[in-house]
Amino acid sequence: MYNILVCDDDKEIVSAIEIYLSKEGYNVLKAYDGEQALKILNENKIHLIILDIMMPKKDGMEVLEEIRQEKTIPVIMLSAKSEDEDKINGLNLGADDYVTKPFNPLELIARVNSGIRRFTQLGTIQNLENAKIYKTGSLIINDDLKQVTVDGKEIKLTPTEYNILKFLTKNKGVVYSIEEIYQNVWQYEAYGAENIIAVHIRHIREKIEINPKEPKYLKVIWGIGYKVENL
Amino acid sequence: MNIKQSTVLKAMSYILIPIFGAIIVLTTIYSIYVAEFEKENKEGTFYQTERFADMYKSNLYNIIGLVEERKGTFDKVDVQENIYYGRYYDYNYHGMLKYIVLNTKTNTAYTNITVTENTNTIEKLKQNVKNENNQYLCYKPNPEKVETNIPNEELQNLNYVYLKNALPDNSTYEIYTYINPNRDAALGTVLEEIVFEISKKFDWIPVAIMPVLIIAIFAMAIYLCFAIGHVKGHEGIYLNRFEKWPIELTGIISFTVFVCGLAPTTGISFVNMTSDMQIMALFSFILIFAIIAYIALAVFATIVIKKLKTGTLINSSFTYKIIKKIISGVKKLWHNTFDNVDLNAKIIIAFIGLILLSIILISTGGLGVLIVLALWSYVLYLLQKKANEFRLVKNTTKEIYEGDVDNRIDEEKINGELKELSKYINDISGGFSNAIEQNLKSERLKTELITNVSHDIKTPLTSIINYVDLLKQENIENEKANEYLQILDAKSQRLKKLIEDLIEASKVSSGNIKLNIEKIDVVELTKQAIGEFEDKFKQKGLEIITTMPENEVTIEADSRYMYRVVDNIYSNIAKYALDNSRVYIDIKVDGKQVLISFKNISKEKLNISIDELMERFVRGDKSRTTEGSGLGLSISKSLTELQNGKFDVQVDGDLLHVEVVFTC
């Protein structure tokens, strides 16, 4: 049973989140301002926090800063502020994730699951020393088993998708154009049918990313190519 | 202590400069005098000089006066004839001159010749004078006659009147004089001789001392130039009340004192002086006045230097003030007379005036023609100057017109009517740039307002979406309720999309975004985007037909915003294209231009104008019920333009043609 602290000054939103998370089997603690959140955090063992930014008394950013002074628990910021600089600010201050309002409940739950898995299970999976393993962040490709896991959760990929993802993860951080990916994965010259690569990559994104429009691992550099982020 | 403020040093300089100066001048004069004497002596030409004549004449004059005035003091010599010996009047100053003044009426002689056996009668005395070895000169009044063996023209033709003035009327004096040739007559006096002898021995002294003195004078003068005006207890140059007077006033006073000091000394001749006492008195007199003159000069020079140092020499002068007054008066008169005159009238007046002036000047001929030429050259110069000013006004106005609204015409460089015009243009451009600034500000405010309001809307919307979702998860048996829930779900999702688009549209249209320009490949981008929309196109049975170059086509743009442009166009196609139709996507490179065109057949009748289509919140079917906010094309257009591209929409029947143009 994991304890999740949900903190937002809008009581209805907190209640809705509580309903969703309870269904997933989490124990939810509720706070309606920053000070309350910090107090609960000190008194209980919390595994993950969902934190609003615009709140009375102490805002989410201040709370985040105080949490990060002593705790490493996952923090998901939840805010109506959807500007890039807001997201960058939050992540730089130590948040693990940033969800904008209005949010898709399924996405929020997926992010909570991912955060909890990363916090509780990761680090124990490194048991295959000799296996051929490619890894970035919590995306792990075990080439011996032809197995892909994200946050410890196994992902089913087609052989083509697997080859593309393996190639990009092997060369993480490097941007490849459609043509280059085609030549490297298929091992012969592209002759026009390589358009299909873009579709494959979208499919991979839809499978491994929580929000394919804002990918964490497989990034699209529009007009240039694709890359797997080196995390 | 600051050397510049030393009173002692300054006083010393003021005193030493004239003393050294005087020494230099006198030494120089004396050196020249001696050199001339030496030369004349060597060549034996001294007796022929005018100077000698003057000296001799003046001596004659004085002797006669002396004898007449002081007869009683001559001693009667114990000889048979009446010979009086002027023991005490040996004429020290002109000692070498021997004389006999003979009164023919009484047959009495006055002389300074020592009486011996050879000279104890008047006749013997006369003979003694007219010795061949002597340089003699004798004067007899009745009839007037000069006898001399001196080779001097002026003495040979002696003016008798000059001598007569010294004698009482109808006097019967005869004068016999001679210069002893054995003595160095050229020097005239023993004193001079001694000085001359000494000076010959020490003639190296002036040569040695002069440079030292000259250097000292220069050093002191330079020191004074630097130090003048620096007074203890005052910053910078100190001018007292007297020194602040206009320079003309100071100049007049100084000049008056200077002239008064020098005037008495002009016309004074030492030659006329008969005694040492007199000469001493005169010398003192001259010295005092010279000192007064020097003080006047020094004070004036000091004030001029001080004023130069404070830069007030010209500013504080009467002349400057008067000229300034006159100029400003003339200017005022000019403005009063001509400011309200129409420009055309001005030109006519100037034209007629110039023609008349030219005619008059040419009719005077010669110089007049030259003046006319100069005048017209000046007119040409003025016209060129005006043309330059006009060009400046024109160019600056053009720059303002082209968008540099902060530009201003430099009014300093422009005169007259154009200055007025420049002022108006500057005012307009000032108002213009103000308006633009205001506009930008209000755009920013609008964006901020929209963003803030959107944030406020988002929070309740979150609850609506979440609870609709939760409600859907409840097993509701009522079919109508389920139908209503579906509507609520769709509309709340649309509201969410609307708000997101609204924020983006307001940011983009106010230019309130940061661009990260890099080189991107349009072909790659198009392929990537097709990959993204493949499912949606397939669902509607849309066939995508692309025509694009094999090679990459790079443009400079922001990769993310460029995708937003394409994303909006593709969404538009996915939403509004006729099902099971074909969509044409072409990339063409035309010289330096990259054209990306998207053609599709609209599902609905396109019954509105392109302008309306591009306006925010308007969609093809004029209805607002289907998905989308209607902001898509507007956002794409704004984003394209922000990245220096062109975004164009054309409608031909049901054919919608979107064209994006970039330069590569």
Side-chain angles (χ1 to χ4, degrees), chain A residues 8 51-55 59-62 77-91 93 97-103 214, chain B residues 448 450-459 462 499-500 503 507:
Chain A
D8 195 314
L51 196 58
D52 184 23
I53 291 181
M54 290 178 286
M55 282 188 304
D59 74 21
M61 294 296 189
E62 287 172 290
M77 301 306 283
L78 182 66
S79 174
K81 285 185 169 179
S82 55
E83 319 298 298
D84 285 348
E85 47 269 38
D86 299 324
K87 294 183 189 173
I88 291 164
N89 265 342
L91 294 173
L93 269 175
D97 226 332
Y98 196 105
V99 177
T100 57
K101 287 180 192 171
F103 55 88
E214 283 176 35
Chain B
E448 249 169 62
I450 290 172
T451 313
N452 287 337
V453 169
S454 302
H455 287 158
D456 290 343
I457 295 171
K458 276 175 179 178
T459 307
T462 308
I499 289 164
E500 279 162 5
I503 294 174
K507 267 169 74 180

Side-chain angles (χ1 to χ4, degrees), chain B residues 193-207:
Chain B
E193 189 183 17
I194 293 165
V195 171
F196 181 66
E197 286 302 319
I198 294 170
S199 75
K200 263 174 107 176
K201 272 185 187 164
F202 295 99
D203 58 357
W204 54 271
I205 292 177
V207 177

Side-chain angles (χ1 to χ4, degrees), chain B residues 332-342 346 349 417:
Chain B
K332 210 173 169 188
L333 187 72
W334 177 270
H335 283 303
N336 285 346
T337 321
F338 290 108
D339 265 7
N340 295 321
V341 176
D342 181 60
K346 269 191 213 171
I349 291 169
E417 299 269 342

Side-chain angles (χ1 to χ4, degrees), chain B residues 426-655:
Chain B
N426 281 347
D427 286 353
I428 290 172
S429 120
F432 199 46
S433 71
N434 265 346
I436 285 175
E437 207 171 289
Q438 285 295 325
N439 194 21
L440 276 176
K441 207 173 152 191
S442 76
E443 274 288 327
R444 252 201 322 274
L445 280 175
K446 210 160 75 185
T447 310
E448 249 169 62
L449 180 74
I450 290 172
T451 313
N452 287 337
V453 169
S454 302
H455 287 158
D456 290 343
I457 295 171
K458 276 175 179 178
T459 307
L461 183 63
T462 308
S463 289
I464 293 170
I465 290 173
N466 290 344
Y467 284 97
V468 166
D469 187 61
L470 285 171
L471 208 53
K472 271 165 70 185
Q473 290 176 22
E474 298 295 326
N475 288 322
I476 297 169
E477 306 254 319
N478 189 330
E479 221 171 272
K480 267 199 174 160
N482 275 324
E483 192 186 321
Y484 298 161
L485 258 180
Q486 288 300 326
I487 293 168
L488 276 177
D489 190 25
K491 296 303 160 187
S492 58
Q493 289 299 338
R494 199 177 145 218
L495 190 55
K496 177 185 165 189
K497 173 89 179 122
L498 258 171
I499 289 164
E500 279 162 5
D501 282 0
L502 181 65
I503 294 174
E504 190 176 22
S506 78
K507 267 169 74 180
V508 167
S509 71
S510 66
N512 208 357
I513 54 169
K514 270 186 222 146
L515 290 174
N516 179 22
I517 301 290
E518 56 190 333
K519 279 198 169 142
I520 63 170
D521 178 9
V522 183
V523 176
E524 179 92 9
L525 176 71
T526 312
K527 285 179 184 170
Q528 286 176 322
I530 292 171
E532 296 298 312
F533 281 87
E534 189 242 18
D535 283 3
K536 283 184 185 165
F537 290 154
K538 235 179 206 166
Q539 253 176 35
K540 299 196 78 176
L542 292 173
E543 188 185 347
I544 309 292
I545 295 165
T546 56
T547 317
M548 50 181 85
E550 294 270 311
N551 304 330
E552 60 178 28
V553 178
T554 53
I555 60 166
E556 302 223 324
D558 182 298
S559 148
R560 273 176 53 218
Y561 290 119
M562 199 54 213
Y563 177 67
R564 289 292 293 136
V565 173
V566 177
D567 183 46
N568 279 329
I569 297 170
Y570 280 37
S571 307
N572 217 50
I573 292 169
K575 280 173 211 159
Y576 305 117
L578 184 68
D579 290 2
N580 304 314
S581 64
R582 277 184 283 274
V583 176
Y584 293 84
I585 299 173
D586 299 337
I587 298 174
K588 258 185 272 172
V589 181
D590 185 8
K592 286 226 116 191
Q593 285 197 319
V594 180
L595 284 90
I596 314 163
S597 77
F598 306 86
K599 283 178 230 161
N600 71 284
I601 305 292
S602 176
K603 187 161 52 179
E604 307 284 338
K605 220 161 94 184
L606 291 168
N607 55 359
I608 56 160
S609 74
I610 297 159
D611 285 347
E612 276 181 295
L613 199 70
M614 292 302 303
E615 279 300 312
R616 290 178 229 174
F617 299 109
V618 175
R619 278 167 302 133
D621 57 359
K622 274 198 170 175
S623 69
R624 304 204 155 190
T625 48
T626 48
E627 53 180 327
S629 62
L631 285 168
L633 287 184
S634 167
I635 292 171
S636 288
K637 185 178 161 77
S638 298
L639 277 174
T640 308
E641 281 162 3
L642 275 177
Q643 298 175 87
N644 296 323
K646 265 187 250 163
F647 190 94
D648 193 29
V649 179
Q650 280 166 23
V651 174
D652 186 4
D654 283 344
L655 180 73

Side-chain angles (χ1 to χ4, degrees), chain A residues 12-13 20 40 58 92 118 157-158 165 202 223-224:
Chain A
E12 283 71 33
I13 291 179
Y20 286 120
I40 294 171
K58 261 196 180 129
N92 280 345
R118 201 156 53 222
L157 293 178
T158 66
L165 185 63
R202 180 167 55 81
I224 298 171

Side-chain angles (χ1 to χ4, degrees), chain A residues 136 168-176 217 226-231:
Chain A
T136 181
L168 289 174
T169 312
K170 225 161 105 183
N171 304 291
K172 59 188 175 185
V174 186
V175 181
Y176 291 95
Y217 300 107
Y226 303 93
K227 71 165 176 182
V228 164
E229 198 76 79
N230 187 3
L231 293 168

